[in-house]
Amino acid sequence: MKAVLMKRGKPRTNRTDLCIDIAQCQHDVNKLLDCLSAGNNLKLPAQLTMKPIKGKSGKDDERKFTPGEVNQMWRYGGCSSLADITDEELENKLLEIVKWIDEELKRL
């Protein structure tokens, strides 16, 4: 998505530090999709939940995260809960985004 933003930018650039949208969106997939006017059908759910863990009190601690934190969840071995979207569904949604990016880059 960052490559598409840079190629669409005025002026076009090959440096992420010169693209304001990238600085503002960072890792938030939904914000990047908004900047690209990609449509809502590609967006991830606005709020996601990881499988709970036992807290200090012995009760399950609910762990929420945003589309901007998906990379951190998977980096540290977390899993999306079945209540929101499964890891498989999340991965398939990201693969749809990859397909859209490929098509956009071919057009630019």
Side-chain angles (χ1 to χ4, degrees):
M1 286 185 281
K2 292 177 181 181
V4 175
L5 277 171
M6 290 187 301
K7 287 185 179 250
R8 282 187 184 176
K10 305 258 189 282
R12 290 177 78 164
T13 182
N14 61 356
R15 291 180 42 188
T16 57
D17 62 324
L18 297 178
C19 185
I20 295 168
D21 289 333
I22 291 173
Q24 291 173 345
C25 297
Q26 297 182 3
H27 292 286
D28 192 320
V29 173
N30 288 349
K31 285 183 182 178
L32 287 162
L33 289 168
D34 283 342
C35 285
L36 293 165
S37 301
N40 289 332
N41 61 325
L42 290 175
K43 284 187 171 183
L44 304 179
Q47 184 72 50
L48 300 152
T49 306
M50 289 173 59
K51 290 183 180 176
I53 58 171
K54 294 284 183 202
K56 290 181 181 180
S57 66
K59 295 181 182 177
D60 284 347
D61 282 346
E62 186 176 63
R63 301 182 297 166
K64 295 188 180 283
F65 65 101
T66 67
E69 299 167 319
V70 171
N71 62 325
Q72 295 291 347
M73 177 196 64
W74 281 337
R75 176 184 290 161
Y76 295 109
C79 298
S80 183
S81 78
L82 297 176
D84 298 313
I85 185 171
T86 65
D87 277 345
E88 184 178 352
E89 292 168 329
L90 188 55
E91 184 176 354
N92 286 335
K93 194 70 164 168
L94 293 170
L95 289 171
E96 286 177 40
I97 294 169
V98 168
K99 187 175 180 179
W100 180 86
I101 292 167
D102 284 342
E103 291 169 8
E104 283 297 302
L105 288 173
K106 287 176 187 171
R107 291 184 331 141
L108 293 172

